[in-house]
Amino acid sequence: MRLGYHTITWGGVVGDATGVTSVKDLFYRANGSMEAAIADIGSVGYEGIEMFDGNLADHADRPDELREMMENAKLELVSVYTGANFIYSDILPDELHRVHRAAELAKTFGAERLVVGGGARRAAGTTNDDYQRLGEALDRVTDIAESFGLEASYHPHLSTIVESPEELQKLMGLTKIGFCPDTAHLAAAGGDPAALIRQYSDRIRHVHLKDLRKEPFAFLPLGEGDLDMEDIIRAVKESGYDSWLMVELDSYDGDPRVAAEISKKFLDNVL
């Protein structure tokens, strides 16, 4: 397996303010220097990176600049992350327009995977129809990704309608999209990440790794939290998945390069 790291840790995640009034422009972004992130990730020894769609959009008119950063750091762009509400029929065309743009940018910069999160929680409460709508939208996301030669996977996430194991089970039978387990989000929502990886082993197309401390709540570098990361890695291996392991740490109180190094040392030891 090859090791990659998400640039999110450099500044955390933000969304475009224009998205409040223009859904088609609501990209995610890591709110920091991508030049610093790419250089740091490469210096620690990772081989690949994952980026948000908005950070790629920032380089759409100057692609050689981003390519040079990755080449200097000896990194390849593995995957691109995007997301949407997916359950509101009126805005779904504009959301899929943005997913199409994310896939187009991913292809431009040489990525092989599109990772998506989402499924909005309504103020009035979630309905069973919302899962049907989400599943159908994710099938369309899969088709969009495949049209660009990309493999799509769905990332369960806190604050969406797919947090808990029960909610994940509701969705998985309604869509053909692959599964991207995020170890900390699954655990924070009451799941056993290793057990869920084993349960959906045939659907895994991408993997996000981060550790979790439950009290006080914090996402942490690998090996510094409460999760049995060794069993999680064992479960991934048992599934037959033999590809990229992407560390995706939302934030870190100290130097993000140090966090990347901690997780790299842990993975080198376990693998």
Side-chain angles (χ1 to χ4, degrees):
M1 287 186 257
R2 302 177 69 189
L3 305 182
Y5 207 91
H6 198 303
T7 61
I8 185 175
T9 321
W10 284 257
V13 60
V14 296
D16 277 295
T18 54
V20 175
T21 53
S22 179
V23 171
K24 71 178 179 60
D25 299 314
L26 185 53
F27 290 106
Y28 283 123
R29 279 183 176 81
N31 191 32
S33 166
M34 291 302 93
E35 184 174 8
I38 290 169
D40 285 350
I41 292 168
S43 71
V44 171
Y46 291 93
E47 295 182 87
I49 56 170
E50 181 170 313
M51 296 179 69
F52 286 123
D53 50 0
N55 293 114
L56 292 186
D58 291 339
H59 287 89
D61 295 330
R62 41 196 173 94
D64 290 343
E65 182 179 289
L66 180 58
R67 292 191 183 106
E68 184 178 2
M69 290 181 201
M70 291 190 290
E71 184 178 346
N72 290 341
K74 296 182 172 58
L75 291 171
E76 60 184 277
L77 182 65
V78 177
S79 41
V80 176
Y81 190 101
T82 189
N85 294 279
F86 290 130
I87 66 166
Y88 305 117
S89 58
D90 284 353
I91 65 170
L92 183 60
D94 278 2
E95 291 185 320
L96 293 176
H97 169 87
R98 183 166 42 75
V99 170
H100 187 279
R101 180 60 174 150
E104 182 180 43
L105 288 165
K107 179 68 172 180
T108 296
F109 289 102
E112 56 194 54
R113 296 175 182 173
L114 185 70
V115 187
V116 298
R121 288 197 181 276
R122 298 176 187 270
T126 301
T127 68
N128 285 330
D129 285 346
D130 289 340
Y131 289 96
Q132 186 69 42
R133 292 188 185 97
L134 175 58
E136 291 171 358
L138 293 175
D139 281 351
R140 294 177 69 179
V141 168
T142 303
D143 291 341
I144 290 169
E146 289 178 351
S147 74
F148 287 97
L150 306 172
E151 197 164 37
S153 58
Y154 178 76
H155 177 301
H157 204 287
L158 297 176
S159 81
T160 72
I161 63 173
V162 184
E163 295 184 356
S164 69
E166 295 76 20
E167 291 168 342
L168 180 60
Q169 186 171 16
K170 280 185 181 181
L171 175 68
M172 291 300 273
L174 298 173
T175 180
K176 63 185 178 181
I177 200 168
F179 176 37
C180 171
D182 181 296
T183 54
H185 279 273
L186 292 173
D192 178 336
L196 290 167
I197 287 168
R198 291 183 171 104
Q199 181 177 351
Y200 299 108
S201 59
D202 61 330
R203 299 286 293 274
I204 295 174
R205 300 294 180 269
H206 195 54
V207 175
H208 275 185
L209 300 175
K210 56 176 166 274
D211 213 334
L212 171 71
R213 184 182 65 214
K214 295 182 179 179
E215 294 292 340
F217 184 92
F219 293 137
L220 295 169
L222 304 183
E224 297 208 332
D226 303 326
L227 301 188
D228 186 347
M229 297 303 307
E230 292 192 21
D231 190 41
I232 288 168
I233 299 299
R234 192 178 305 118
V236 172
K237 288 183 175 181
E238 289 170 5
S239 76
Y241 179 87
D242 187 24
S243 187
W244 290 95
L245 298 177
M246 191 66 60
V247 182
E248 188 245 8
L249 181 60
D250 299 50
S251 61
Y252 188 66
D253 287 340
D255 184 344
R257 184 187 182 281
V258 172
E261 189 171 25
I262 292 169
S263 292
K264 179 67 163 53
K265 287 179 178 178
F266 178 88
L267 287 171
D268 285 343
N269 182 57
V270 170
L271 294 174

